[in-house]
Coordinates of all heavy atoms in Angstrom, one line a residue:
G1 N 78.9 193.9 10.9 CA 80.1 194.7 11.2 C 80.3 195.2 12.5 O 81.2 195.9 12.8
G2 N 79.4 194.8 13.5 CA 79.5 195.3 14.9 C 79.5 194.1 15.9 O 79.9 193.0 15.6
E3 N 79.0 194.5 17.1 CA 79.1 193.5 18.2 C 77.7 193.0 18.5 O 76.7 193.5 18.2 CB 79.6 194.2 19.5 CG 81.1 194.6 19.5 CD 81.4 195.2 20.8 OE1 80.9 196.4 21.0 OE2 82.2 194.6 21.6
S4 N 77.7 191.8 19.3 CA 76.5 191.3 19.9 C 76.5 191.7 21.3 O 77.6 192.1 21.9 CB 76.5 189.7 19.8 OG 77.6 189.2 20.6
L5 N 75.4 191.6 22.0 CA 75.3 191.9 23.4 C 76.2 191.0 24.2 O 76.8 191.5 25.2 CB 73.8 191.8 23.9 CG 72.8 192.8 23.4 CD1 71.5 192.6 24.1 CD2 73.2 194.2 23.4
A6 N 76.3 189.8 23.8 CA 77.2 188.8 24.6 C 78.6 189.3 24.5 O 79.4 189.2 25.5 CB 77.1 187.4 24.0
Q7 N 79.0 189.8 23.3 CA 80.4 190.3 23.2 C 80.7 191.5 24.1 O 81.8 191.6 24.7 CB 80.7 190.6 21.8 CG 80.9 189.4 20.8 CD 81.0 189.7 19.4 OE1 80.2 190.6 18.9 NE2 81.9 189.1 18.7
V8 N 79.7 192.4 24.1 CA 79.9 193.6 25.0 C 80.0 193.1 26.5 O 80.8 193.6 27.2 CB 78.7 194.6 24.8 CG1 78.9 195.8 25.7 CG2 78.6 195.1 23.4
T9 N 79.1 192.2 26.9 CA 79.2 191.7 28.3 C 80.5 191.1 28.6 O 81.1 191.3 29.6 CB 78.0 190.7 28.5 OG1 76.7 191.3 28.3 CG2 78.2 190.1 29.9
G10 N 81.0 190.3 27.6 CA 82.2 189.6 27.7 C 83.5 190.6 28.0 O 84.4 190.2 28.7
R11 N 83.4 191.8 27.5 CA 84.5 192.7 27.7 C 84.3 193.6 28.9 O 85.3 194.1 29.4 CB 84.8 193.6 26.4 CG 83.6 194.5 26.0 CD 84.1 195.4 24.8 NE 83.1 196.0 24.1 CZ 82.5 197.2 24.4 NH1 82.9 197.8 25.5 NH2 81.6 197.8 23.6
V12 N 83.1 193.7 29.4 CA 82.8 194.6 30.6 C 82.9 193.8 31.8 O 83.3 194.5 32.9 CB 81.6 195.4 30.4 CG1 80.3 194.5 30.8 CG2 81.5 196.6 31.3
V13 N 82.5 192.6 31.9 CA 82.6 191.8 33.1 C 83.9 191.8 33.8 O 84.0 192.0 35.0 CB 82.0 190.4 32.9 CG1 82.3 189.5 34.1 CG2 80.5 190.4 32.7
P14 N 85.0 191.6 33.1 CA 86.3 191.6 33.8 C 86.6 193.0 34.4 O 87.3 193.0 35.4 CB 87.3 191.3 32.6 CG 86.6 190.5 31.6 CD 85.2 191.1 31.7
I15 N 86.1 194.0 33.8 CA 86.3 195.3 34.4 C 85.6 195.4 35.8 O 86.1 195.9 36.8 CB 85.8 196.5 33.5 CG1 86.5 196.4 32.2 CG2 85.9 197.8 34.2 CD1 85.9 197.3 31.2
L16 N 84.4 194.9 35.8 CA 83.6 194.9 37.0 C 84.2 194.1 38.1 O 84.3 194.5 39.3 CB 82.2 194.5 36.8 CG 81.3 195.4 35.8 CD1 80.0 194.6 35.5 CD2 81.1 196.7 36.4
E17 N 84.8 193.0 37.7 CA 85.5 192.1 38.7 C 86.7 192.7 39.2 O 87.0 192.6 40.4 CB 85.8 190.7 38.0 CG 84.5 189.9 37.7 CD 84.8 188.6 36.9 OE1 85.8 188.6 36.2 OE2 84.0 187.7 37.0
D18 N 87.5 193.3 38.3 CA 88.7 194.0 38.8 C 88.4 195.2 39.7 O 89.0 195.5 40.7 CB 89.5 194.5 37.6 CG 90.7 195.2 38.0 OD1 91.7 194.6 38.6 OD2 90.8 196.4 37.7
L19 N 87.3 195.9 39.4 CA 86.8 197.1 40.1 C 86.5 196.6 41.5 O 86.8 197.2 42.5 CB 85.7 197.7 39.4 CG 85.1 199.1 39.9 CD1 84.6 199.9 38.8 CD2 84.0 198.8 41.0
G20 N 85.7 195.4 41.6 CA 85.4 194.9 42.9 C 86.5 194.6 43.8 O 86.5 194.6 45.0
A21 N 87.6 194.1 43.1 CA 88.8 193.6 43.8 C 89.6 194.9 44.4 O 90.2 194.8 45.4 CB 89.7 192.7 42.9
R22 N 89.5 196.0 43.6 CA 90.3 197.1 43.9 C 89.5 198.0 45.1 O 90.2 198.6 45.8 CB 90.4 198.1 42.7 CG 91.4 197.6 41.6 CD 91.3 198.5 40.4 NE 92.2 198.1 39.3 CZ 93.4 198.6 39.2 NH1 93.9 199.5 40.0 NH2 94.2 198.1 38.3
H23 N 88.2 197.9 45.0 CA 87.4 198.8 45.9 C 86.5 197.9 46.7 O 85.4 197.6 46.3 CB 86.7 199.8 45.1 CG 87.5 200.7 44.2 ND1 88.3 201.7 44.7 CD2 87.7 200.6 42.8 CE1 89.0 202.3 43.6 NE2 88.6 201.6 42.6
A24 N 86.9 197.6 47.9 CA 86.0 196.7 48.8 C 84.9 197.5 49.3 O 83.9 197.0 49.8 CB 86.8 196.1 49.9
E25 N 85.1 198.9 49.5 CA 84.1 199.7 50.1 C 84.2 201.1 49.6 O 85.1 201.5 48.7 CB 84.3 199.8 51.6 CG 85.7 200.2 52.0 CD 85.9 200.1 53.5 OE1 85.4 199.3 54.2 OE2 86.7 201.0 54.1
G26 N 83.3 202.0 50.0 CA 83.3 203.4 49.5 C 82.4 203.4 48.2 O 81.7 202.5 47.9
K27 N 82.5 204.6 47.6 CA 81.7 204.8 46.4 C 82.5 205.0 45.1 O 83.5 205.7 45.1 CB 80.8 206.1 46.6 CG 79.8 206.0 47.7 CD 79.0 207.2 47.9 CE 78.0 207.1 49.0 NZ 77.1 208.3 49.2
V28 N 82.1 204.3 44.1 CA 82.8 204.3 42.8 C 81.8 204.6 41.7 O 80.8 204.0 41.6 CB 83.6 203.0 42.6 CG1 84.2 203.0 41.2 CG2 84.6 202.7 43.6
A29 N 82.2 205.6 40.9 CA 81.4 206.0 39.7 C 81.9 205.4 38.4 O 83.2 205.4 38.2 CB 81.2 207.5 39.6
V30 N 81.1 204.9 37.6 CA 81.4 204.4 36.3 C 80.6 205.2 35.2 O 79.3 205.1 35.2 CB 81.2 202.9 36.1 CG1 81.4 202.4 34.7 CG2 82.1 202.1 37.0
V31 N 81.2 205.9 34.4 CA 80.5 206.8 33.4 C 80.6 206.0 32.0 O 81.8 205.9 31.5 CB 81.1 208.2 33.3 CG1 80.3 209.0 32.2 CG2 81.1 208.9 34.7
T32 N 79.5 205.7 31.5 CA 79.6 204.8 30.2 C 78.3 205.1 29.4 O 77.8 206.2 29.4 CB 79.8 203.4 30.6 OG1 80.0 202.7 29.4 CG2 78.7 202.7 31.4
H33 N 77.8 204.1 28.7 CA 76.8 204.2 27.7 C 75.6 203.5 28.0 O 75.6 202.6 28.8 CB 77.4 203.9 26.3 CG 78.7 204.6 26.0 ND1 78.7 205.9 25.4 CD2 80.0 204.4 26.3 CE1 80.0 206.3 25.3 NE2 80.8 205.4 25.8
R34 N 74.5 203.7 27.3 CA 73.2 203.1 27.5 C 73.3 201.6 27.5 O 72.9 200.9 28.4 CB 72.2 203.5 26.4 CG 70.8 202.9 26.5 CD 69.9 203.3 25.4 NE 70.3 202.7 24.1 CZ 69.5 202.5 23.1 NH1 68.2 202.8 23.3 NH2 69.9 202.0 21.9
V35 N 73.9 201.0 26.4 CA 74.0 199.5 26.3 C 74.7 198.9 27.4 O 74.4 197.9 28.0 CB 74.6 199.2 24.9 CG1 75.0 197.7 24.9 CG2 73.7 199.5 23.7
L36 N 75.9 199.6 27.8 CA 76.7 199.0 28.8 C 76.0 199.1 30.2 O 76.1 198.1 31.0 CB 78.1 199.7 28.9 CG 79.1 199.1 27.9 CD1 78.9 199.6 26.5 CD2 80.5 199.3 28.3
V37 N 75.3 200.2 30.4 CA 74.6 200.3 31.7 C 73.5 199.1 31.8 O 73.4 198.5 32.8 CB 74.0 201.6 31.9 CG1 73.1 201.7 33.2 CG2 75.0 202.7 32.0

């Protein structure tokens, strides 16, 4: 009834790629959960 690790990775990678495109430098914090970290 839940997710696999691959499914979680699949939804978080686009966020990281977008974050990298938005912020070329500086410091950015992401507050999330154990599995995602």
Side-chain angles (χ1 to χ4, degrees):
E3 289 182 292
S4 67
L5 295 186
Q7 288 173 315
V8 180
T9 298
R11 62 175 164 84
V12 77
V13 165
I15 297 169
L16 298 173
E17 292 174 334
D18 182 63
L19 188 151
R22 288 173 181 266
H23 305 281
E25 57 186 30
K27 297 182 180 183
V28 173
V30 172
V31 183
T32 185
H33 307 270
R34 176 183 71 152
V35 168
L36 275 80
V37 173

